[in-house]
Amino acid sequence: FGPKIWSFRRGDTEYGLKAIPAGAYVKIIGMNNLDEIDPADEDLAYRNKSYPKRLLVAVAGSAMHFTQALVLLFVLFAFVGVPGGSLTELKAWDVGEISPDSAADDFGLELGDEILTVDGRAVGNYDDFREMIAELPDADVIMEIDREGEVIDLPVTIGVRDGDATTGLLGIRPTSRVETVGPAGAVGDTFVAFKEQTTATLGFLGNFFSPSGLGDFAGDVANGRDDSTTVAPSNGNSGGESVETYDEGRIISIVGAVRIGADLTENGIAGFLVFFVGINITIGIFNLLPVLPLDGGHVVVATYERIREIGRPKGFRHHVDFARLIPVVYAVFVLLLVLGVSTIFLDIADPV
């Protein structure tokens, strides 16, 4: 964005670099009826192209983000490995920490153990395992453990949570395990992970842009901190709860994204690639929101124009009067501008 620094032309397209490298865009002539162009170029105008071509142009940016996410997911599953085996849950995990004087400590669990079953019940993701243990206070169980490739049966009496004798507690924290499945297995896992991350992102955006979500965010900005951020004290007996938990309504700016990306890079390429997958999916979905000036708004306009053309003579083109949509465009632009400035402020005042 900003002033042009350098550009060159190939055919009918000019490619260039501007002063602010915070994003990229393609400007196409004749996007609407207010765009005045040389009559000689009218046949090149976006507004006079067929509906499929306009639709393809409108979704091209998001399609590229989704393609990048799919390629990165394949690379992760096939070659690099996904921490925890999933983008949305901790599926592949081992015992990473044992609380002193807990049931895990008393009955011989060791760091690096992989818990396979509890009384014959297969252990899945860590949240499911934690719920399973919570339902077994004071219960005597047999845990099947994979310890450095050797499978052993370990008798364990599940403990109880302090102050709540009805809730079982083992006294461990997990550590994610990085696994690869090879190119063949990665194909299916890639699309499953893409679906899971897309669903999670849609849920996040729905929560954030709800009246309560926007109200909470406005309160956070006014206070200069994210009040949904809570820090739970570590008493060595938390049973695996995260030390820090963040409300799903927290959104980050480019400042927060750069900080998180830098931190993840220091911890290995896998975490950074997972984060980059999330960024691509989020931007791809966000751009398809059905409001102008986002790409999704152009999809809605093109679809509406196509509906109005049904039953009309061949070659007839219906063009939406963009003059009537300008207030909506300005309102959305102001909202995005305020949101961008606010998230940058919050990421500086109260970093994630």
Side-chain angles (χ1 to χ4, degrees):
F1 306 103
K4 184 194 304 182
I5 295 177
W6 169 80
S7 70
F8 65 93
R9 180 177 292 273
R10 289 289 184 272
D12 292 323
T13 303
E14 181 185 11
Y15 302 85
L17 176 67
K18 293 193 173 184
I20 305 174
Y25 68 92
V26 178
K27 183 179 181 180
I28 303 173
I29 63 171
M31 287 291 290
N32 55 68
N33 66 317
L34 301 181
D35 191 0
E36 296 183 1
I37 61 175
D38 188 329
D41 293 332
E42 191 63 37
D43 63 325
L44 299 175
Y46 169 89
R47 62 194 175 210
N48 291 320
K49 296 301 181 181
S50 66
Y51 173 65
K53 288 184 178 180
R54 283 178 287 161
L55 195 64
L56 181 61
V57 167
V59 303
S62 290
M64 182 56 69
H65 282 294
F66 295 147
T67 300
Q68 289 184 86
L70 287 168
V71 170
L72 289 172
L73 282 170
F74 178 81
V75 170
L76 278 163
F77 281 111
F79 307 111
V80 179
V82 177
S86 170
L87 272 66
T88 57
E89 57 185 347
L90 189 56
K91 288 183 177 180
W93 60 276
D94 298 323
V95 176
E97 181 180 335
I98 299 175
S99 301
D101 301 323
S102 64
D105 188 31
D106 293 341
F107 288 90
L109 274 173
E110 296 181 4
L111 299 181
D113 283 351
E114 178 186 357
I115 303 175
L116 304 175
T117 65
V118 177
D119 271 353
R121 297 168 58 187
V123 171
N125 66 59
Y126 183 72
D127 286 339
D128 290 343
F129 171 75
R130 184 169 55 183
E131 292 178 5
M132 182 190 304
I133 294 300
E135 297 171 357
L136 299 170
D138 268 334
D140 294 322
V141 299
I142 299 295
M143 289 188 175
E144 189 178 46
I145 307 295
D146 184 334
R147 181 173 293 168
E148 297 181 349
E150 180 184 0
V151 177
I152 61 175
D153 289 335
L154 189 68
V156 177
T157 299
I158 305 299
V160 296
R161 188 179 299 278
D162 291 343
D164 183 7
T166 64
T167 302
L169 186 70
L170 185 59
I172 66 170
R173 291 178 185 271
T175 183
S176 60
R177 190 169 62 249
V178 177
E179 297 179 339
T180 59
V181 296
V187 175
D189 287 351
T190 292
F191 287 98
V192 170
F194 182 83
K195 178 183 177 182
E196 292 175 346
Q197 184 68 20
T198 300
T199 301
T201 302
L202 287 170
F204 160 76
L205 291 175
N207 289 333
F208 181 81
F209 285 106
S210 67
S212 60
L214 290 174
D216 290 342
F217 179 74
D220 293 339
V221 174
N223 295 331
R225 67 181 302 274
D226 185 357
D227 288 333
S228 65
T229 303
T230 58
V231 181
S234 176
N235 57 11
N237 201 28
S238 63
E241 288 82 351
S242 175
V243 174
E244 293 188 0
T245 60
Y246 297 93
D247 184 14
E248 292 182 354
R250 177 68 187 262
I251 191 170
I252 62 172
S253 69
I254 188 172
V255 173
V258 169
R259 178 182 292 117
I260 294 173
D263 289 343
L264 290 172
T265 301
E266 292 179 358
N267 295 325
I269 190 63
F272 174 77
L273 291 180
V274 169
F275 182 62
F276 195 50
V277 167
I279 287 179
N280 273 285
I281 291 176
T282 300
I283 294 176
I285 293 175
F286 188 83
N287 281 339
L288 289 179
L289 294 179
V291 290
L292 291 169
L294 300 178
D295 294 337
H298 290 290
V299 171
V300 171
V301 169
T303 302
Y304 173 77
E305 291 176 337
R306 180 66 187 97
I307 292 173
R308 292 295 301 270
E309 293 166 359
I310 294 176
R312 301 296 183 92
K314 185 177 181 180
F316 173 81
R317 287 285 184 267
H318 176 81
H319 296 303
V320 167
D321 184 3
F322 263 70
R324 302 173 64 179
L325 297 178
I326 286 179
V328 176
V329 175
Y330 284 164
V332 174
F333 179 78
V334 170
L335 174 62
L336 294 177
L337 182 62
V338 171
L339 183 62
V341 173
S342 299
T343 52
I344 290 174
F345 165 73
L346 200 56
D347 282 337
I348 294 174
D350 185 25
V352 172

